[in-house]
Amino acid sequence: MKVLITGASSGIGKSLAMEFSKLNYDLILVARNKEKLTELKKELSPKGKVEIYPTDLTNQENCIKLHEKFPHIDILINNAGFGLFGNFSTTSLEEELQMIDLNIKALHTLMKLYLQDMIKKDQGKILNVASIAGFMSGPLMSTYYASKNYVVSLTTGVKEELRKQKSHVKLSILCPGPVSTNFNKRAGVEFCLKSINSDQVAKYTIKKLKKNKFYIIPGFKIRLLKAIVKMIPTNLLTKIVYHQQKRKKLV
């Protein structure tokens, strides 16, 4: 079995790589940082094959080249992404467009290309990494929350298409709460809520992925939050989220 993981050099992606390695999967590890990918490959002690592929997925052409380089995979983990904290009117437009290119366009491109292959074979799995943020609006991280809303909506819609086609290709969405990763540093904040360990997230994710679960939500409190969110009026929920966002510490 061959797994391709984007954003594999740190955080959830790195932890997933380590867990899949223990299970003797062949790995294709993708990220911008070649040095970190090389270090990760040295850390792994796999029986399966490990290939690293440094590239910048904010460039759509690089997404296409990645698919051309590795057309035959069994599991795609669309994990690459980052966030940015601050008022929408004052945050960097350049960084936000890069975020859209990575969180949305790269995920969309890779999902489409690999899904087409998997449909032809009538097998395969795609895990899109979203967030609990994908179920609400997020003032002070509006672009990030919107990008994760896109991931949730896209994956849910395509899942129904596959069901109607009676396809055996399986889709899943990983929707964690705060996780102890480099994401916090990149976003420029520290979360006030207690973060879950990325290794715990990876173990839980693989367990649920094997069972073909669609929503994969680590942590009882976050699963409860998802259920509660559905019952709160949008305007009130947005006010609550804003209050929680304000409590985040700038780093």
Side-chain angles (χ1 to χ4, degrees):
M1 294 282 283
K2 184 176 291 187
V3 185
L4 189 154
I5 305 173
T6 68
S9 62
S10 63
I12 293 174
K14 180 178 180 179
S15 293
L16 283 169
M18 298 187 82
E19 289 302 315
F20 276 116
S21 176
K22 293 174 185 176
L23 297 171
N24 302 322
Y25 284 75
D26 292 336
L27 301 177
I28 301 163
L29 307 178
V30 182
R32 286 190 305 173
N33 194 313
K34 182 178 180 179
E35 184 178 335
K36 287 187 176 181
L37 286 176
T38 302
E39 290 174 0
L40 174 57
K41 185 175 181 178
K42 291 177 181 177
E43 286 182 49
L44 302 175
S45 300
K47 292 182 181 178
K49 184 179 180 182
V50 178
E51 297 181 70
I52 63 171
Y53 188 80
T55 191
D56 181 0
L57 295 178
T58 61
N59 183 330
Q60 189 181 32
E61 185 62 31
N62 290 339
C63 298
I64 295 169
K65 289 179 180 178
L66 171 61
H67 174 256
E68 290 174 347
K69 174 73 173 177
F70 304 103
H72 305 297
I73 66 170
D74 300 290
I75 302 174
L76 169 65
I77 310 289
N78 258 324
N79 169 69
F82 70 91
L84 185 66
F85 183 85
N87 283 294
F88 180 77
S89 60
T90 59
T91 46
S92 165
L93 175 60
E94 181 180 358
E95 284 191 83
E96 286 179 324
L97 292 178
Q98 288 176 351
M99 189 195 309
I100 291 168
D101 285 340
L102 187 59
N103 293 16
I104 295 177
K105 289 179 67 176
L107 179 143
H108 183 113
T109 301
L110 292 174
M111 179 182 178
K112 179 177 282 287
L113 293 175
Y114 281 109
L115 181 62
Q116 290 170 343
D117 297 334
M118 291 177 180
I119 288 174
K120 290 176 183 176
K121 296 183 295 184
D122 199 29
Q123 62 181 13
K125 295 184 181 185
I126 296 176
L127 172 68
N128 288 333
V129 178
S131 165
I132 194 63
F135 300 100
M136 60 192 88
S137 298
L140 299 181
M141 290 187 76
S142 293
T143 304
Y144 172 75
Y145 273 60
S147 74
K148 295 307 181 182
N149 272 258
Y150 181 91
V151 174
V152 171
S153 180
L154 175 69
T155 313
T156 303
V158 177
K159 174 179 178 284
E160 178 61 14
E161 292 175 5
L162 292 173
R163 189 185 72 82
K164 288 291 188 180
Q165 295 167 19
K166 295 183 172 21
S167 173
H168 291 97
V169 178
K170 302 299 181 183
L171 302 184
S172 298
I173 313 174
L174 174 57
C175 300
V179 182
S180 300
T181 69
N182 192 52
F183 174 91
N184 300 2
K185 183 178 179 181
R186 181 69 177 84
V189 295
E190 290 180 1
F191 291 97
C192 294
L193 292 174
K194 185 178 179 181
S195 297
I196 189 171
N197 184 280
S198 64
D199 293 338
Q200 293 175 291
V201 172
K203 288 183 175 69
Y204 182 85
T205 298
I206 292 174
K207 177 182 176 182
K208 296 300 180 181
L209 198 60
K210 287 181 176 180
K211 296 180 179 179
N212 296 321
K213 296 295 184 181
F214 182 63
Y215 289 118
I216 300 177
I217 306 175
F220 173 76
K221 290 182 180 179
I222 301 302
R223 291 194 291 275
L224 180 61
L225 176 60
K226 178 181 177 292
I228 293 173
V229 160
K230 293 180 179 179
M231 299 183 285
I232 302 176
T234 301
N235 288 343
L236 176 57
L237 178 62
T238 303
K239 290 177 182 178
I240 293 170
V241 173
Y242 180 83
H243 175 71
Q244 291 299 317
Q245 299 280 69
K246 284 284 288 184
R247 295 175 60 206
K248 291 175 180 176
K249 303 174 185 177
L250 292 174
V251 296

